Amino acid sequence: MTFNNLTWLDLLCLTGVGVYLVKKVVIKKNLIPYPPGPRGWPLIGNILDIPRTKPWVTFTEWGEMYGDITHIEVLGRHIIVLNSVKTAVEMMDNKSIVYSDRPVLPMSGELVGWKDSLPFLPYGDLFRQQRKNLHRVIGSRAAMGVYNEIEEAETHQFLKRVLAKPDRLQGHVRHTVGAIVLRISHGYEVKENDDPFIDLANRVTANGSEATEPGAFLVDILPFLTKVPAWFPGAGFKRIAREWRGTLEEMVSAPHEFVKDQMAAGIAPVSLTSNLLEGGVSAKEDHAVKWSAFSLYAGGTDTTVSAIYSFFLAMTLFPDVQKRAQAEIDAVVGPGRLPSFADRDSLPYTEALVKEVLRWNVVLPTGFPHCVAEDDIHDGYYIPKGSIVLPNIWFMLNDPRTYANPSQFNPERFLAKDGKEPETEPRTTCFGFGRRVCPGLHLADASIWISTAMSLAVFDISKVVENGVELTPEVDPLPGTASHPKPFKCSIKPRSATALGLIEQDTNY
């Protein structure tokens, strides 16, 4: 049941608001005001103001009208939207103990079953255990260095796939990112074609992005709908959730059992899962390991896929940027080999290009909802316990107060020039805030960088010409918690015979 097809059941449920109001006879009167926001309706509050698609656009409009903090209320649940990095840092970083909880998400967390994964866990012991598990493996750039060889080898295979079938770019990106994460999380080497875990994981991440999009399912606004039986007219969301839950449970369990079987046979390669299971674990610990490994996959794939696909879109649209980055790589790396992580510090423009990709096409436009653990007063406004807090990351990375001409794709904004300081580092924003910052940020950053450097070294990326007409891709991010560029066509060809040789060569990674 979505907002796009409201049924008589929805209206029946809205009448149930009366039951809620009976329980709320006495309304707490606060001398301290809530943050400003659109005026709600009697009984239902701002339920009609919740955007159905691309919520970051509506949130940006609210920011223009009401300032950096916007407040709405839906059936007694307070929702706070943040429209500046400064405010997000003050609240979610500086007061992280207050702003690090997670709300209960009825559709994705309870019905689909994501509640045991790290992004959904409430702040507490289980959350800290999973973060500790992931930090051991990918918690810093230095820790990620152990996996540089895997990243380089899988990205080289990506180049070969793109060379063979350039019209399947997005599929190649998904395959490669999945292959890298599964090697790290479970020691699993994916098959070149029709890999069962890759197919399963792609469905799980797509379902998860759809299930968590703000305003997509009415049950997230009216949680009592979770009690409606699946056969009831209009309760199609229950049937969707049951299907998605089965896919999720298979993705969580199947790779975990694969590692256990390999360990029993004495042939398990080193991975997050095998390391954590070494020496035996209790049932509770086994559960935590299983979901930690899945959380690594869930947090490190869909977002990275979106960013790499956005890179190819940017290179299609901005050939001058591509040429400058290629000139830098040619000068530093030379024609005889592919770039490696050892070259990263010597490629400042390429580094700036990666930053601009992350800023220009924001992967998580509204972040992931935080929940307030206790009453707070911020900037003279009352923020009640239990409020949902949504950072409008899209606007933060397109805020003209922070980025000059934000609609322009310009990597130079991140380079010091003529005594002028670089503009604000986007990676401090796009990966979230406080104790909920993405634990896979170093993995995602490494994957995006090596894909960018290797692809630029050997490919020319340009617009497709059909029937004598040059096709310009549309820049239109798709809805979803993890937003992807709309599918587009581009031409991808080897830069030279030497580049072709580098793609086709066998390497000993």
Side-chain angles (χ1 to χ4, degrees), residues 204-258:
V204 167
T205 52
N207 295 345
S209 181
E210 187 174 346
T212 54
E213 184 182 5
F217 290 92
L218 191 60
V219 68
D220 287 329
I221 310 303
L222 303 174
F224 60 85
L225 291 178
T226 57
K227 306 301 182 183
V228 173
W231 53 263
F232 205 74
F237 71 95
K238 295 290 289 284
R239 294 186 288 275
I240 293 172
R242 185 190 301 126
E243 177 186 342
W244 289 356
R245 187 182 190 98
T247 307
L248 173 65
E249 289 175 349
E250 186 178 357
M251 183 61 212
V252 173
S253 298
H256 189 69
E257 293 304 316
F258 165 82

Short mmCIF file of all heavy atoms in Angstrom, two decimals, residues 204-258:
data_model
loop_
_atom_site.label_atom_id
_atom_site.label_comp_id
_atom_site.label_asym_id
_atom_site.label_seq_id
_atom_site.Cartn_x
_atom_site.Cartn_y
_atom_site.Cartn_z
N VAL A 204 18.08 -8.02 -2.85
CA VAL A 204 17.94 -7.58 -1.46
C VAL A 204 18.20 -6.09 -1.32
O VAL A 204 17.43 -5.37 -0.66
CB VAL A 204 18.90 -8.38 -0.55
CG1 VAL A 204 19.00 -7.73 0.83
CG2 VAL A 204 18.41 -9.81 -0.39
N THR A 205 19.27 -5.58 -1.93
CA THR A 205 19.60 -4.16 -1.78
C THR A 205 18.56 -3.28 -2.49
O THR A 205 18.21 -2.21 -1.98
CB THR A 205 20.99 -3.86 -2.33
OG1 THR A 205 21.13 -4.38 -3.66
CG2 THR A 205 22.06 -4.49 -1.45
N ALA A 206 18.06 -3.74 -3.63
CA ALA A 206 17.01 -2.97 -4.32
C ALA A 206 15.75 -2.92 -3.48
O ALA A 206 15.11 -1.87 -3.33
CB ALA A 206 16.72 -3.58 -5.69
N ASN A 207 15.37 -4.06 -2.90
CA ASN A 207 14.19 -4.10 -2.04
C ASN A 207 14.37 -3.21 -0.82
O ASN A 207 13.46 -2.50 -0.41
CB ASN A 207 13.92 -5.54 -1.57
CG ASN A 207 13.55 -6.47 -2.70
OD1 ASN A 207 13.23 -6.03 -3.80
ND2 ASN A 207 13.61 -7.76 -2.46
N GLY A 208 15.57 -3.27 -0.24
CA GLY A 208 15.82 -2.48 0.95
C GLY A 208 15.75 -0.98 0.69
O GLY A 208 15.22 -0.22 1.51
N SER A 209 16.28 -0.54 -0.44
CA SER A 209 16.23 0.87 -0.79
C SER A 209 14.79 1.33 -0.97
O SER A 209 14.40 2.42 -0.52
CB SER A 209 17.02 1.13 -2.07
OG SER A 209 17.00 2.50 -2.42
N GLU A 210 13.99 0.51 -1.61
CA GLU A 210 12.58 0.86 -1.81
C GLU A 210 11.81 0.85 -0.50
O GLU A 210 10.97 1.72 -0.25
CB GLU A 210 11.95 -0.12 -2.80
CG GLU A 210 10.53 0.25 -3.20
CD GLU A 210 9.96 -0.65 -4.29
OE1 GLU A 210 10.74 -1.40 -4.92
OE2 GLU A 210 8.74 -0.61 -4.50
N ALA A 211 12.10 -0.12 0.36
CA ALA A 211 11.35 -0.26 1.62
C ALA A 211 11.64 0.88 2.59
O ALA A 211 10.79 1.21 3.42
CB ALA A 211 11.68 -1.59 2.28
N THR A 212 12.83 1.48 2.51
CA THR A 212 13.21 2.51 3.48
C THR A 212 13.01 3.92 2.96
O THR A 212 13.27 4.89 3.69
CB THR A 212 14.69 2.34 3.88
OG1 THR A 212 15.50 2.32 2.69
CG2 THR A 212 14.90 1.07 4.68
N GLU A 213 12.55 4.09 1.74
CA GLU A 213 12.37 5.45 1.22
C GLU A 213 11.30 6.17 2.04
O GLU A 213 10.20 5.65 2.23
CB GLU A 213 11.95 5.42 -0.25
CG GLU A 213 11.84 6.82 -0.84
CD GLU A 213 11.37 6.80 -2.29
OE1 GLU A 213 11.05 5.72 -2.81
OE2 GLU A 213 11.32 7.89 -2.89
N PRO A 214 11.61 7.37 2.55
CA PRO A 214 10.63 8.09 3.36
C PRO A 214 9.32 8.31 2.61
O PRO A 214 9.31 8.76 1.46
CB PRO A 214 11.32 9.44 3.63
CG PRO A 214 12.78 9.14 3.52
CD PRO A 214 12.89 8.09 2.45
N GLY A 215 8.20 7.94 3.24
CA GLY A 215 6.88 8.17 2.66
C GLY A 215 6.43 7.13 1.66
O GLY A 215 5.33 7.24 1.11
N ALA A 216 7.25 6.10 1.40
CA ALA A 216 6.88 5.13 0.37
C ALA A 216 5.75 4.21 0.80
O ALA A 216 4.92 3.81 -0.02
CB ALA A 216 8.11 4.30 -0.01
N PHE A 217 5.68 3.87 2.10
CA PHE A 217 4.67 2.94 2.58
C PHE A 217 3.91 3.56 3.76
O PHE A 217 4.52 4.03 4.73
CB PHE A 217 5.30 1.61 2.99
CG PHE A 217 5.80 0.81 1.82
CD1 PHE A 217 7.10 0.94 1.38
CD2 PHE A 217 4.96 -0.07 1.15
CE1 PHE A 217 7.56 0.22 0.30
CE2 PHE A 217 5.40 -0.79 0.06
CZ PHE A 217 6.71 -0.66 -0.38
N LEU A 218 2.60 3.52 3.66
CA LEU A 218 1.75 4.13 4.68
C LEU A 218 1.94 3.49 6.05
O LEU A 218 1.77 4.14 7.08
CB LEU A 218 0.28 4.03 4.25
CG LEU A 218 -0.73 4.84 5.07
CD1 LEU A 218 -0.42 6.32 5.01
CD2 LEU A 218 -2.14 4.56 4.58
N VAL A 219 2.34 2.22 6.08
CA VAL A 219 2.52 1.54 7.36
C VAL A 219 3.62 2.20 8.19
O VAL A 219 3.60 2.12 9.42
CB VAL A 219 2.84 0.04 7.13
CG1 VAL A 219 4.22 -0.13 6.48
CG2 VAL A 219 2.79 -0.73 8.44
N ASP A 220 4.56 2.90 7.56
CA ASP A 220 5.58 3.62 8.32
C ASP A 220 5.01 4.85 9.01
O ASP A 220 5.59 5.34 9.98
CB ASP A 220 6.74 4.03 7.39
CG ASP A 220 7.61 2.84 6.98
OD1 ASP A 220 7.72 1.91 7.80
OD2 ASP A 220 8.16 2.85 5.88
N ILE A 221 3.88 5.34 8.51
CA ILE A 221 3.22 6.48 9.13
C ILE A 221 2.17 6.02 10.14
O ILE A 221 1.97 6.64 11.19
CB ILE A 221 2.55 7.37 8.05
CG1 ILE A 221 3.55 7.69 6.94
CG2 ILE A 221 1.99 8.63 8.66
CD1 ILE A 221 4.80 8.38 7.41
N LEU A 222 1.50 4.90 9.81
CA LEU A 222 0.47 4.33 10.67
C LEU A 222 0.90 2.92 11.07
O LEU A 222 0.48 1.93 10.48
CB LEU A 222 -0.88 4.28 9.93
CG LEU A 222 -1.40 5.61 9.38
CD1 LEU A 222 -2.65 5.40 8.54
CD2 LEU A 222 -1.67 6.59 10.52
N PRO A 223 1.76 2.81 12.09
CA PRO A 223 2.36 1.51 12.44
C PRO A 223 1.36 0.43 12.79
O PRO A 223 1.66 -0.75 12.63
CB PRO A 223 3.26 1.85 13.63
CG PRO A 223 3.56 3.30 13.49
CD PRO A 223 2.33 3.91 12.92
N PHE A 224 0.14 0.80 13.25
CA PHE A 224 -0.82 -0.23 13.61
C PHE A 224 -1.27 -1.05 12.41
O PHE A 224 -1.87 -2.11 12.55
CB PHE A 224 -2.03 0.38 14.33
CG PHE A 224 -2.80 1.39 13.52
CD1 PHE A 224 -3.78 0.99 12.62
CD2 PHE A 224 -2.56 2.75 13.68
CE1 PHE A 224 -4.50 1.93 11.89
CE2 PHE A 224 -3.27 3.68 12.96
CZ PHE A 224 -4.25 3.28 12.05
N LEU A 225 -0.94 -0.57 11.19
CA LEU A 225 -1.27 -1.36 9.99
C LEU A 225 -0.48 -2.66 9.92
O LEU A 225 -0.83 -3.55 9.13
CB LEU A 225 -1.01 -0.52 8.73
CG LEU A 225 -1.95 0.66 8.47
CD1 LEU A 225 -1.53 1.41 7.22
CD2 LEU A 225 -3.39 0.20 8.35
N THR A 226 0.58 -2.78 10.72
CA THR A 226 1.32 -4.05 10.73
C THR A 226 0.43 -5.20 11.19
O THR A 226 0.73 -6.36 10.89
CB THR A 226 2.54 -3.97 11.65
OG1 THR A 226 2.13 -3.62 12.98
CG2 THR A 226 3.54 -2.95 11.14
N LYS A 227 -0.64 -4.89 11.91
CA LYS A 227 -1.53 -5.92 12.43
C LYS A 227 -2.59 -6.34 11.42
O LYS A 227 -3.32 -7.32 11.63
CB LYS A 227 -2.23 -5.42 13.69
CG LYS A 227 -1.28 -4.91 14.78
CD LYS A 227 -0.30 -5.98 15.23
CE LYS A 227 0.61 -5.46 16.34
NZ LYS A 227 1.62 -6.48 16.75
N VAL A 228 -2.70 -5.61 10.30
CA VAL A 228 -3.69 -5.95 9.28
C VAL A 228 -3.28 -7.25 8.59
O VAL A 228 -2.13 -7.39 8.18
CB VAL A 228 -3.82 -4.82 8.24
CG1 VAL A 228 -4.71 -5.22 7.08
CG2 VAL A 228 -4.35 -3.56 8.90
N PRO A 229 -4.18 -8.24 8.46
CA PRO A 229 -3.81 -9.49 7.78
C PRO A 229 -3.55 -9.26 6.30
O PRO A 229 -4.12 -8.35 5.69
CB PRO A 229 -5.04 -10.39 7.99
CG PRO A 229 -6.16 -9.45 8.27
CD PRO A 229 -5.56 -8.27 8.98
N ALA A 230 -2.67 -10.09 5.74
CA ALA A 230 -2.25 -9.91 4.35
C ALA A 230 -3.41 -10.06 3.36
O ALA A 230 -3.37 -9.50 2.27
CB ALA A 230 -1.14 -10.91 4.01
N TRP A 231 -4.45 -10.81 3.75
CA TRP A 231 -5.57 -11.03 2.83
C TRP A 231 -6.53 -9.86 2.79
O TRP A 231 -7.40 -9.77 1.92
CB TRP A 231 -6.34 -12.29 3.21
CG TRP A 231 -6.80 -12.35 4.65
CD1 TRP A 231 -6.18 -12.98 5.68
CD2 TRP A 231 -7.96 -11.70 5.21
NE1 TRP A 231 -6.87 -12.79 6.85
CE2 TRP A 231 -7.97 -12.01 6.60
CE3 TRP A 231 -8.98 -10.91 4.70
CZ2 TRP A 231 -8.97 -11.55 7.46
CZ3 TRP A 231 -9.96 -10.45 5.55
CH2 TRP A 231 -9.96 -10.76 6.92
N PHE A 232 -6.39 -8.93 3.74
CA PHE A 232 -7.33 -7.83 3.84
C PHE A 232 -7.19 -6.92 2.63
O PHE A 232 -6.08 -6.64 2.17
CB PHE A 232 -7.04 -7.04 5.12
CG PHE A 232 -8.23 -6.29 5.65
CD1 PHE A 232 -9.26 -6.95 6.27
CD2 PHE A 232 -8.30 -4.90 5.52
CE1 PHE A 232 -10.35 -6.25 6.78
CE2 PHE A 232 -9.37 -4.21 6.02
CZ PHE A 232 -10.41 -4.88 6.64
N PRO A 233 -8.30 -6.45 2.06
CA PRO A 233 -8.22 -5.58 0.87
C PRO A 233 -7.36 -4.36 1.13
O PRO A 233 -7.51 -3.68 2.15
CB PRO A 233 -9.69 -5.19 0.63
CG PRO A 233 -10.48 -6.29 1.23
CD PRO A 233 -9.69 -6.77 2.42
N GLY A 234 -6.44 -4.07 0.23
CA GLY A 234 -5.57 -2.92 0.37
C GLY A 234 -4.29 -3.18 1.14
O GLY A 234 -3.45 -2.29 1.27
N ALA A 235 -4.13 -4.42 1.64
CA ALA A 235 -2.95 -4.73 2.45
C ALA A 235 -1.85 -5.40 1.61
O ALA A 235 -1.14 -6.28 2.08
CB ALA A 235 -3.33 -5.61 3.63
N GLY A 236 -1.70 -4.94 0.39
CA GLY A 236 -0.69 -5.53 -0.48
C GLY A 236 0.72 -5.38 0.04
O GLY A 236 1.60 -6.17 -0.29
N PHE A 237 0.95 -4.37 0.88
CA PHE A 237 2.29 -4.17 1.43
C PHE A 237 2.73 -5.36 2.27
O PHE A 237 3.92 -5.67 2.37
CB PHE A 237 2.35 -2.88 2.26
CG PHE A 237 1.61 -2.96 3.57
CD1 PHE A 237 2.28 -3.30 4.73
CD2 PHE A 237 0.26 -2.69 3.64
CE1 PHE A 237 1.61 -3.36 5.94
CE2 PHE A 237 -0.42 -2.75 4.84
CZ PHE A 237 0.25 -3.09 5.99
N LYS A 238 1.77 -6.08 2.87
CA LYS A 238 2.11 -7.26 3.68
C LYS A 238 2.64 -8.38 2.79
O LYS A 238 3.59 -9.09 3.16
CB LYS A 238 0.89 -7.73 4.47
CG LYS A 238 0.38 -6.76 5.53
CD LYS A 238 1.33 -6.63 6.70
CE LYS A 238 1.39 -7.85 7.61
NZ LYS A 238 0.24 -8.00 8.49
N ARG A 239 2.04 -8.53 1.64
CA ARG A 239 2.50 -9.58 0.71
C ARG A 239 3.87 -9.22 0.13
O ARG A 239 4.73 -10.09 -0.05
CB ARG A 239 1.46 -9.77 -0.40
CG ARG A 239 0.14 -10.33 0.11
CD ARG A 239 -0.83 -10.65 -1.01
NE ARG A 239 -1.39 -9.44 -1.62
CZ ARG A 239 -2.44 -8.78 -1.16
NH1 ARG A 239 -3.05 -9.20 -0.05
NH2 ARG A 239 -2.90 -7.72 -1.78
N ILE A 240 4.08 -7.94 -0.16
CA ILE A 240 5.39 -7.48 -0.64
C ILE A 240 6.45 -7.76 0.43
O ILE A 240 7.53 -8.28 0.14
CB ILE A 240 5.35 -5.98 -0.98
CG1 ILE A 240 4.45 -5.73 -2.18
CG2 ILE A 240 6.76 -5.44 -1.24
CD1 ILE A 240 4.21 -4.24 -2.46
N ALA A 241 6.12 -7.42 1.68
CA ALA A 241 7.07 -7.60 2.78
C ALA A 241 7.43 -9.07 2.96
O ALA A 241 8.59 -9.41 3.22
CB ALA A 241 6.50 -7.02 4.07
N ARG A 242 6.43 -9.98 2.84
CA ARG A 242 6.71 -11.40 3.00
C ARG A 242 7.68 -11.89 1.94
O ARG A 242 8.62 -12.65 2.23
CB ARG A 242 5.41 -12.20 2.93
CG ARG A 242 5.63 -13.70 3.21
CD ARG A 242 4.39 -14.53 2.89
NE ARG A 242 3.25 -14.07 3.67
CZ ARG A 242 2.07 -13.73 3.13
NH1 ARG A 242 1.91 -13.76 1.82
NH2 ARG A 242 1.07 -13.35 3.90
N GLU A 243 7.49 -11.45 0.72
CA GLU A 243 8.40 -11.86 -0.37
C GLU A 243 9.80 -11.32 -0.13
O GLU A 243 10.80 -12.04 -0.25
CB GLU A 243 7.86 -11.34 -1.70
CG GLU A 243 8.76 -11.65 -2.89
CD GLU A 243 8.29 -11.00 -4.17
OE1 GLU A 243 7.10 -10.60 -4.23
OE2 GLU A 243 9.10 -10.89 -5.11
N TRP A 244 9.90 -10.05 0.22
CA TRP A 244 11.21 -9.43 0.45
C TRP A 244 11.90 -10.05 1.65
O TRP A 244 13.12 -10.18 1.66
CB TRP A 244 11.04 -7.92 0.65
CG TRP A 244 10.66 -7.19 -0.60
CD1 TRP A 244 10.54 -7.71 -1.86
CD2 TRP A 244 10.36 -5.79 -0.72
NE1 TRP A 244 10.18 -6.74 -2.76
CE2 TRP A 244 10.06 -5.54 -2.09
CE3 TRP A 244 10.29 -4.74 0.18
CZ2 TRP A 244 9.71 -4.27 -2.56
CZ3 TRP A 244 9.95 -3.47 -0.28
CH2 TRP A 244 9.67 -3.24 -1.64
N ARG A 245 11.14 -10.44 2.67
CA ARG A 245 11.73 -11.04 3.86
C ARG A 245 12.40 -12.37 3.52
O ARG A 245 13.50 -12.67 4.01
CB ARG A 245 10.66 -11.25 4.93
CG ARG A 245 11.23 -11.70 6.27
CD ARG A 245 10.13 -11.95 7.30
NE ARG A 245 10.68 -12.16 8.61
CZ ARG A 245 10.78 -11.23 9.56
NH1 ARG A 245 10.34 -10.01 9.32
NH2 ARG A 245 11.31 -11.51 10.73
N GLY A 246 11.75 -13.18 2.69
CA GLY A 246 12.34 -14.46 2.31
C GLY A 246 13.66 -14.27 1.58
O GLY A 246 14.63 -15.01 1.82
N THR A 247 13.71 -13.29 0.68
CA THR A 247 14.95 -13.00 -0.05
C THR A 247 16.05 -12.54 0.90
O THR A 247 17.20 -12.96 0.79
CB THR A 247 14.69 -11.93 -1.12
OG1 THR A 247 13.59 -12.32 -1.94
CG2 THR A 247 15.91 -11.74 -2.00
N LEU A 248 15.68 -11.68 1.84
CA LEU A 248 16.65 -11.18 2.81
C LEU A 248 17.21 -12.31 3.67
O LEU A 248 18.44 -12.41 3.86
CB LEU A 248 15.98 -10.13 3.71
CG LEU A 248 16.80 -9.62 4.89
CD1 LEU A 248 18.04 -8.87 4.42
CD2 LEU A 248 15.96 -8.73 5.81
N GLU A 249 16.36 -13.17 4.20
CA GLU A 249 16.82 -14.25 5.07
C GLU A 249 17.76 -15.19 4.33
O GLU A 249 18.74 -15.68 4.90
CB GLU A 249 15.61 -15.00 5.61
CG GLU A 249 14.82 -14.19 6.65
CD GLU A 249 13.55 -14.89 7.11
OE1 GLU A 249 13.16 -15.90 6.48
OE2 GLU A 249 12.94 -14.43 8.10
N GLU A 250 17.49 -15.43 3.06
CA GLU A 250 18.38 -16.29 2.27
C GLU A 250 19.74 -15.63 2.09
O GLU A 250 20.78 -16.29 2.20
CB GLU A 250 17.74 -16.58 0.91
CG GLU A 250 18.54 -17.58 0.09
CD GLU A 250 17.88 -17.90 -1.24
OE1 GLU A 250 16.77 -17.39 -1.51
OE2 GLU A 250 18.50 -18.66 -2.03
N MET A 251 19.76 -14.31 1.84
CA MET A 251 21.02 -13.61 1.63
C MET A 251 21.85 -13.54 2.90
O MET A 251 23.08 -13.61 2.86
CB MET A 251 20.75 -12.20 1.10
CG MET A 251 22.01 -11.41 0.78
SD MET A 251 23.01 -12.19 -0.51
CE MET A 251 24.67 -11.72 -0.01
N VAL A 252 21.19 -13.45 4.04
CA VAL A 252 21.91 -13.39 5.31
C VAL A 252 22.52 -14.76 5.66
O VAL A 252 23.67 -14.85 6.11
CB VAL A 252 20.98 -12.92 6.45
CG1 VAL A 252 21.67 -13.04 7.80
CG2 VAL A 252 20.53 -11.49 6.22
N SER A 253 21.76 -15.81 5.41
CA SER A 253 22.15 -17.14 5.89
C SER A 253 23.03 -17.93 4.91
O SER A 253 23.96 -18.62 5.33
CB SER A 253 20.90 -17.96 6.21
OG SER A 253 20.16 -17.35 7.25
N ALA A 254 22.73 -17.85 3.62
CA ALA A 254 23.42 -18.72 2.66
C ALA A 254 24.94 -18.49 2.62
O ALA A 254 25.72 -19.45 2.71
CB ALA A 254 22.80 -18.55 1.27
N PRO A 255 25.44 -17.25 2.49
CA PRO A 255 26.90 -17.06 2.50
C PRO A 255 27.53 -17.45 3.83
O PRO A 255 28.67 -17.93 3.87
CB PRO A 255 27.07 -15.55 2.23
CG PRO A 255 25.78 -15.11 1.63
CD PRO A 255 24.73 -15.97 2.24
N HIS A 256 26.79 -17.25 4.92
CA HIS A 256 27.29 -17.61 6.25
C HIS A 256 27.50 -19.12 6.35
O HIS A 256 28.54 -19.59 6.85
CB HIS A 256 26.30 -17.14 7.31
CG HIS A 256 26.79 -17.26 8.71
ND1 HIS A 256 27.80 -16.48 9.23
CD2 HIS A 256 26.41 -18.10 9.73
CE1 HIS A 256 28.02 -16.81 10.49
NE2 HIS A 256 27.19 -17.78 10.82
N GLU A 257 26.54 -19.88 5.87
CA GLU A 257 26.66 -21.33 5.89
C GLU A 257 27.77 -21.80 4.95
O GLU A 257 28.45 -22.79 5.22
CB GLU A 257 25.33 -21.98 5.50
CG GLU A 257 24.22 -21.77 6.51
CD GLU A 257 24.60 -22.24 7.91
OE1 GLU A 257 25.17 -23.34 8.02
OE2 GLU A 257 24.35 -21.50 8.89
N PHE A 258 27.97 -21.07 3.85
CA PHE A 258 29.06 -21.39 2.92
C PHE A 258 30.41 -21.32 3.65
O PHE A 258 31.25 -22.21 3.51
CB PHE A 258 29.03 -20.40 1.75
CG PHE A 258 30.28 -20.38 0.91
CD1 PHE A 258 30.48 -21.33 -0.07
CD2 PHE A 258 31.27 -19.41 1.13
CE1 PHE A 258 31.64 -21.31 -0.85
CE2 PHE A 258 32.42 -19.39 0.36
CZ PHE A 258 32.61 -20.34 -0.63
#
